[in-house]
PDB file of all heavy atoms in Angstrom:
ATOM      1  N   VAL A  95       0.475  -6.341  15.528  1.00 96.00           N
ATOM      2  CA  VAL A  95       1.165  -6.560  16.801  1.00 96.00           C
ATOM      3  C   VAL A  95       0.457  -7.619  17.649  1.00 96.00           C
ATOM      4  O   VAL A  95       1.095  -8.554  18.156  1.00 96.00           O
ATOM      5  CB  VAL A  95       1.299  -5.233  17.583  1.00 96.00           C
ATOM      6  CG1 VAL A  95       1.827  -5.464  18.986  1.00 96.00           C
ATOM      7  CG2 VAL A  95       2.209  -4.263  16.822  1.00 96.00           C
ATOM      8  N   LEU A  96      -0.864  -7.504  17.795  1.00 97.00           N
ATOM      9  CA  LEU A  96      -1.586  -8.410  18.692  1.00 97.00           C
ATOM     10  C   LEU A  96      -1.883  -9.778  18.084  1.00 97.00           C
ATOM     11  O   LEU A  96      -1.848 -10.781  18.788  1.00 97.00           O
ATOM     12  CB  LEU A  96      -2.890  -7.761  19.160  1.00 97.00           C
ATOM     13  CG  LEU A  96      -2.743  -6.493  19.993  1.00 97.00           C
ATOM     14  CD1 LEU A  96      -4.113  -5.948  20.380  1.00 97.00           C
ATOM     15  CD2 LEU A  96      -1.890  -6.752  21.232  1.00 97.00           C
ATOM     16  N   HIS A  97      -2.184  -9.815  16.803  1.00 97.00           N
ATOM     17  CA  HIS A  97      -2.612 -11.080  16.197  1.00 97.00           C
ATOM     18  C   HIS A  97      -1.522 -11.771  15.379  1.00 97.00           C
ATOM     19  O   HIS A  97      -1.378 -12.987  15.450  1.00 97.00           O
ATOM     20  CB  HIS A  97      -3.875 -10.858  15.367  1.00 97.00           C
ATOM     21  CG  HIS A  97      -5.013 -10.362  16.194  1.00 97.00           C
ATOM     22  ND1 HIS A  97      -5.769 -11.184  16.990  1.00 97.00           N
ATOM     23  CD2 HIS A  97      -5.483  -9.110  16.385  1.00 97.00           C
ATOM     24  CE1 HIS A  97      -6.673 -10.475  17.639  1.00 97.00           C
ATOM     25  NE2 HIS A  97      -6.521  -9.198  17.295  1.00 97.00           N
ATOM     26  N   LEU A  98      -0.779 -10.988  14.612  1.00 97.00           N
ATOM     27  CA  LEU A  98       0.299 -11.588  13.817  1.00 97.00           C
ATOM     28  C   LEU A  98       1.600 -11.702  14.610  1.00 97.00           C
ATOM     29  O   LEU A  98       2.513 -12.401  14.191  1.00 97.00           O
ATOM     30  CB  LEU A  98       0.546 -10.782  12.536  1.00 97.00           C
ATOM     31  CG  LEU A  98      -0.616 -10.733  11.550  1.00 97.00           C
ATOM     32  CD1 LEU A  98      -0.242  -9.869  10.358  1.00 97.00           C
ATOM     33  CD2 LEU A  98      -1.020 -12.133  11.113  1.00 97.00           C
ATOM     34  N   LYS A  99       1.690 -10.985  15.712  1.00 97.00           N
ATOM     35  CA  LYS A  99       2.875 -11.014  16.590  1.00 97.00           C
ATOM     36  C   LYS A  99       4.146 -10.578  15.861  1.00 97.00           C
ATOM     37  O   LYS A  99       5.201 -11.176  16.032  1.00 97.00           O
ATOM     38  CB  LYS A  99       3.085 -12.402  17.201  1.00 97.00           C
ATOM     39  CG  LYS A  99       1.862 -12.995  17.875  1.00 97.00           C
ATOM     40  CD  LYS A  99       1.620 -12.361  19.200  1.00 97.00           C
ATOM     41  CE  LYS A  99       0.532 -13.135  19.944  1.00 97.00           C
ATOM     42  NZ  LYS A  99      -0.392 -12.303  20.629  1.00 97.00           N
ATOM     43  N   VAL A 100       4.035  -9.520  15.017  1.00 97.00           N
ATOM     44  CA  VAL A 100       5.234  -9.025  14.341  1.00 97.00           C
ATOM     45  C   VAL A 100       6.249  -8.580  15.387  1.00 97.00           C
ATOM     46  O   VAL A 100       5.895  -8.105  16.458  1.00 97.00           O
ATOM     47  CB  VAL A 100       4.941  -7.869  13.350  1.00 97.00           C
ATOM     48  CG1 VAL A 100       4.009  -8.315  12.248  1.00 97.00           C
ATOM     49  CG2 VAL A 100       4.417  -6.649  14.049  1.00 97.00           C
ATOM     50  N   LYS A 101       7.499  -8.773  15.075  1.00 97.00           N
ATOM     51  CA  LYS A 101       8.577  -8.449  16.019  1.00 97.00           C
ATOM     52  C   LYS A 101       9.151  -7.050  15.799  1.00 97.00           C
ATOM     53  O   LYS A 101       9.711  -6.454  16.700  1.00 97.00           O
ATOM     54  CB  LYS A 101       9.709  -9.469  15.872  1.00 97.00           C
ATOM     55  CG  LYS A 101       9.271 -10.916  16.056  1.00 97.00           C
ATOM     56  CD  LYS A 101       9.628 -11.404  17.427  1.00 97.00           C
ATOM     57  CE  LYS A 101       9.366 -12.881  17.575  1.00 97.00           C
ATOM     58  NZ  LYS A 101       8.008 -13.206  17.918  1.00 97.00           N
ATOM     59  N   HIS A 102       9.039  -6.536  14.572  1.00 96.00           N
ATOM     60  CA  HIS A 102       9.674  -5.262  14.224  1.00 96.00           C
ATOM     61  C   HIS A 102       8.699  -4.373  13.471  1.00 96.00           C
ATOM     62  O   HIS A 102       8.076  -4.812  12.510  1.00 96.00           O
ATOM     63  CB  HIS A 102      10.906  -5.494  13.340  1.00 96.00           C
ATOM     64  CG  HIS A 102      11.853  -6.494  13.892  1.00 96.00           C
ATOM     65  ND1 HIS A 102      12.751  -6.203  14.889  1.00 96.00           N
ATOM     66  CD2 HIS A 102      12.023  -7.808  13.598  1.00 96.00           C
ATOM     67  CE1 HIS A 102      13.442  -7.282  15.188  1.00 96.00           C
ATOM     68  NE2 HIS A 102      13.023  -8.271  14.417  1.00 96.00           N
ATOM     69  N   LEU A 103       8.608  -3.110  13.902  1.00 95.00           N
ATOM     70  CA  LEU A 103       7.843  -2.098  13.179  1.00 95.00           C
ATOM     71  C   LEU A 103       8.836  -1.185  12.482  1.00 95.00           C
ATOM     72  O   LEU A 103       9.739  -0.636  13.117  1.00 95.00           O
ATOM     73  CB  LEU A 103       6.987  -1.262  14.130  1.00 95.00           C
ATOM     74  CG  LEU A 103       5.812  -1.971  14.791  1.00 95.00           C
ATOM     75  CD1 LEU A 103       5.147  -1.052  15.801  1.00 95.00           C
ATOM     76  CD2 LEU A 103       4.807  -2.433  13.761  1.00 95.00           C
ATOM     77  N   VAL A 104       8.683  -1.024  11.181  1.00 94.00           N
ATOM     78  CA  VAL A 104       9.589  -0.204  10.389  1.00 94.00           C
ATOM     79  C   VAL A 104       8.773   0.897   9.718  1.00 94.00           C
ATOM     80  O   VAL A 104       7.799   0.604   9.029  1.00 94.00           O
ATOM     81  CB  VAL A 104      10.303  -1.048   9.300  1.00 94.00           C
ATOM     82  CG1 VAL A 104      11.194  -0.182   8.446  1.00 94.00           C
ATOM     83  CG2 VAL A 104      11.057  -2.206   9.928  1.00 94.00           C
ATOM     84  N   VAL A 105       9.150   2.153   9.953  1.00 92.00           N
ATOM     85  CA  VAL A 105       8.526   3.264   9.245  1.00 92.00           C
ATOM     86  C   VAL A 105       9.509   3.685   8.163  1.00 92.00           C
ATOM     87  O   VAL A 105      10.636   4.079   8.453  1.00 92.00           O
ATOM     88  CB  VAL A 105       8.202   4.443  10.180  1.00 92.00           C
ATOM     89  CG1 VAL A 105       7.578   5.591   9.390  1.00 92.00           C
ATOM     90  CG2 VAL A 105       7.261   3.986  11.300  1.00 92.00           C
ATOM     91  N   MET A 106       9.079   3.563   6.928  1.00 90.00           N
ATOM     92  CA  MET A 106       9.978   3.773   5.800  1.00 90.00           C
ATOM     93  C   MET A 106       9.571   5.017   5.029  1.00 90.00           C
ATOM     94  O   MET A 106       8.511   5.064   4.412  1.00 90.00           O
ATOM     95  CB  MET A 106       9.913   2.544   4.882  1.00 90.00           C
ATOM     96  CG  MET A 106      10.815   2.602   3.700  1.00 90.00           C
ATOM     97  SD  MET A 106      10.609   1.074   2.751  1.00 90.00           S
ATOM     98  CE  MET A 106      10.956   1.708   1.128  1.00 90.00           C
ATOM     99  N   GLY A 107      10.411   6.039   5.074  1.00 85.00           N
ATOM    100  CA  GLY A 107      10.175   7.250   4.300  1.00 85.00           C
ATOM    101  C   GLY A 107      11.002   7.233   3.029  1.00 85.00           C
ATOM    102  O   GLY A 107      11.759   6.297   2.775  1.00 85.00           O
ATOM    103  N   HIS A 108      10.843   8.266   2.217  1.00 86.00           N
ATOM    104  CA  HIS A 108      11.641   8.362   1.001  1.00 86.00           C
ATOM    105  C   HIS A 108      11.856   9.829   0.660  1.00 86.00           C
ATOM    106  O   HIS A 108      11.138  10.708   1.124  1.00 86.00           O
ATOM    107  CB  HIS A 108      10.978   7.613  -0.162  1.00 86.00           C
ATOM    108  CG  HIS A 108       9.669   8.210  -0.593  1.00 86.00           C
ATOM    109  ND1 HIS A 108       9.582   9.098  -1.643  1.00 86.00           N
ATOM    110  CD2 HIS A 108       8.413   8.044  -0.127  1.00 86.00           C
ATOM    111  CE1 HIS A 108       8.319   9.448  -1.800  1.00 86.00           C
ATOM    112  NE2 HIS A 108       7.579   8.829  -0.890  1.00 86.00           N
ATOM    113  N   SER A 109      12.842  10.092  -0.141  1.00 84.00           N
ATOM    114  CA  SER A 109      13.149  11.471  -0.524  1.00 84.00           C
ATOM    115  C   SER A 109      12.089  12.012  -1.482  1.00 84.00           C
ATOM    116  O   SER A 109      11.409  11.259  -2.169  1.00 84.00           O
ATOM    117  CB  SER A 109      14.539  11.549  -1.162  1.00 84.00           C
ATOM    118  OG  SER A 109      14.568  10.784  -2.340  1.00 84.00           O
ATOM    119  N   ARG A 110      11.978  13.329  -1.492  1.00 83.00           N
ATOM    120  CA  ARG A 110      11.064  14.042  -2.383  1.00 83.00           C
ATOM    121  C   ARG A 110       9.614  13.593  -2.250  1.00 83.00           C
ATOM    122  O   ARG A 110       8.885  13.489  -3.239  1.00 83.00           O
ATOM    123  CB  ARG A 110      11.528  13.947  -3.827  1.00 83.00           C
ATOM    124  CG  ARG A 110      12.881  14.596  -4.047  1.00 83.00           C
ATOM    125  CD  ARG A 110      13.282  14.576  -5.488  1.00 83.00           C
ATOM    126  NE  ARG A 110      14.566  15.255  -5.634  1.00 83.00           N
ATOM    127  CZ  ARG A 110      15.165  15.418  -6.780  1.00 83.00           C
ATOM    128  NH1 ARG A 110      14.636  14.965  -7.882  1.00 83.00           N
ATOM    129  NH2 ARG A 110      16.328  16.043  -6.829  1.00 83.00           N
ATOM    130  N   CYS A 111       9.204  13.313  -1.029  1.00 84.00           N
ATOM    131  CA  CYS A 111       7.826  12.877  -0.783  1.00 84.00           C
ATOM    132  C   CYS A 111       6.890  14.077  -0.897  1.00 84.00           C
ATOM    133  O   CYS A 111       7.003  15.043  -0.142  1.00 84.00           O
ATOM    134  CB  CYS A 111       7.711  12.250   0.596  1.00 84.00           C
ATOM    135  SG  CYS A 111       6.043  11.661   0.962  1.00 84.00           S
ATOM    136  N   GLY A 112       5.980  14.010  -1.844  1.00 83.00           N
ATOM    137  CA  GLY A 112       5.040  15.099  -2.067  1.00 83.00           C
ATOM    138  C   GLY A 112       4.126  15.338  -0.873  1.00 83.00           C
ATOM    139  O   GLY A 112       3.770  16.473  -0.568  1.00 83.00           O
ATOM    140  N   ALA A 113       3.740  14.279  -0.177  1.00 84.00           N
ATOM    141  CA  ALA A 113       2.864  14.422   0.993  1.00 84.00           C
ATOM    142  C   ALA A 113       3.560  15.182   2.109  1.00 84.00           C
ATOM    143  O   ALA A 113       2.971  16.064   2.734  1.00 84.00           O
ATOM    144  CB  ALA A 113       2.423  13.046   1.484  1.00 84.00           C
ATOM    145  N   VAL A 114       4.809  14.875   2.355  1.00 82.00           N
ATOM    146  CA  VAL A 114       5.557  15.561   3.405  1.00 82.00           C
ATOM    147  C   VAL A 114       5.780  17.017   3.010  1.00 82.00           C
ATOM    148  O   VAL A 114       5.637  17.931   3.833  1.00 82.00           O
ATOM    149  CB  VAL A 114       6.883  14.835   3.712  1.00 82.00           C
ATOM    150  CG1 VAL A 114       7.735  15.641   4.670  1.00 82.00           C
ATOM    151  CG2 VAL A 114       6.597  13.446   4.279  1.00 82.00           C
ATOM    152  N   LYS A 115       6.092  17.250   1.737  1.00 82.00           N
ATOM    153  CA  LYS A 115       6.269  18.628   1.261  1.00 82.00           C
ATOM    154  C   LYS A 115       4.984  19.425   1.445  1.00 82.00           C
ATOM    155  O   LYS A 115       5.013  20.572   1.903  1.00 82.00           O
ATOM    156  CB  LYS A 115       6.689  18.638  -0.207  1.00 82.00           C
ATOM    157  CG  LYS A 115       8.152  18.318  -0.413  1.00 82.00           C
ATOM    158  CD  LYS A 115       8.538  18.597  -1.844  1.00 82.00           C
ATOM    159  CE  LYS A 115       8.494  17.288  -2.601  1.00 82.00           C
ATOM    160  NZ  LYS A 115       8.868  17.399  -3.998  1.00 82.00           N
TER     161      LYS A 115
END
Side-chain angles (χ1 to χ4, degrees):
V95 172
L96 297 179
H97 299 281
L98 297 178
K99 309 284 189 221
V100 299
K101 304 259 187 276
H102 309 281
L103 291 175
V104 178
V105 179
M106 182 180 150
H108 65 96
S109 63
R110 297 184 178 181
C111 181
V114 173
K115 282 190 262 181

